[in-house]
Amino acid sequence: MTQAKILVARAVFPEVIASLQAHFEVTSNQDDVVWTKAQLIEQLQGKDGALTTGSERIDADVLAACPQLKIAANMAVGYNNFDLVAMSHHGVQGTNTPDVLTDTTADFGFALMMATARRMTESEHFLRRGEWTKWRYDMFMGSDIHGATLGILGMGRIGQGIAQRGAHGFGMKVIYHNRSRLDPAAEARCQATYVSKEDLLKRADHLVLVLPYSAESHHSIGAAELAQMKPTATLVNIARGGIVDDAALAAALKARTIAAAGLDVFEGEPQVHPDLLTLPNVVLTPHIASASGPTRLAMAKLAADNLVAFFKQNAVLTPVNSVVSAIK
Ligand code: GLV
């Protein structure tokens, strides 16, 4: 039987490429060029499978132009770059990388919340500018984490990881809102109380967003929601750009209707709303919440394992859609 042809759409660990080469004919983009849609379509010609990242959109145009494609294995837990309806329609399997990144991403969400509340980057920039000439009692006063109310919007695996860190490590009171309420055992594990979205916005001292992006969650936090938050509150987004209306957030941060924000994801990233770049009360990181060495390697390996399982066992480990007849 001829080997399946695989496209690795972005640079990835050389050992993962080598493991794929043991099974497949592999074309890889180790130069890490970010392709246009037309270039992606061209690269996918004749390919049976692809290892993708959140930057490659697998939509109806791509699927129609690449009829040989059978699977796209995303190296990310989020898969809003996949048009799942179109993929299922074209019989294309999608997979993601859940679980392996939960703790690393929860650690980062917590760190970003702490950096935001305690004004770490703002004060570091002050120091680096050479402006630190004396100690002062009210210099860079922030807000406390311990004992504060932690609000979580989106209570999946990562949300629950953040809740547990807050409740057990820092004595925080945890409230959450989610499409569906957790079962009592999970609520007890997280020491978390289910509240309405309105209550969440009003009561949280630190609000962390961990919900998937979709048409329904687009601009879940906009001007109206920001207006309901405490003026002392912080907002952290480690979920996806587009969940927050970044222009409205910049306006709220400027007017100090909330105290500060920590953002790892942005609308239209890697572009960042220019107003956010000028504001002192926002901590900005370039979509790195899952970026510890072991976790990024585990993500790449899981994406590769999905490709191997698909072509060798006609099954995948972590599907995100159901496909009637995956092997075309
Ligand atoms: C990163 O954003 C992911 O979805 O894994």
Side-chain angles (χ1 to χ4, degrees), residues 54 74-81 96-98 101 105 158 238-240 264-265 269 287-290 296 299:
N74 224 24
M75 185 185 149
V77 66
Y79 45 88
N80 54 299
N81 56 314
N96 69 341
T97 57
L101 49 57
T105 307
I158 298 168
I238 56 163
R240 274 293 179 273
D264 187 49
V265 288
E269 65 186 54
H287 202 148
I288 56 167
S290 65
R296 282 284 164 90
M299 292 165 68

Side-chain angles (χ1 to χ4, degrees), residues 4 18 63 91 94 98 110 120 138 146 158 163 175 177 182 198 218 245 247-248 256 259-260 262 279 282 284:
L63 293 161
F110 212 85
M120 284 188 179
D138 60 352
H146 73 273
I158 298 168
I175 54 178
H177 185 74
L182 296 184
E198 195 185 342
H218 181 74
D245 176 345
R256 305 253 171 191
L279 292 166
V282 57
L284 306 167

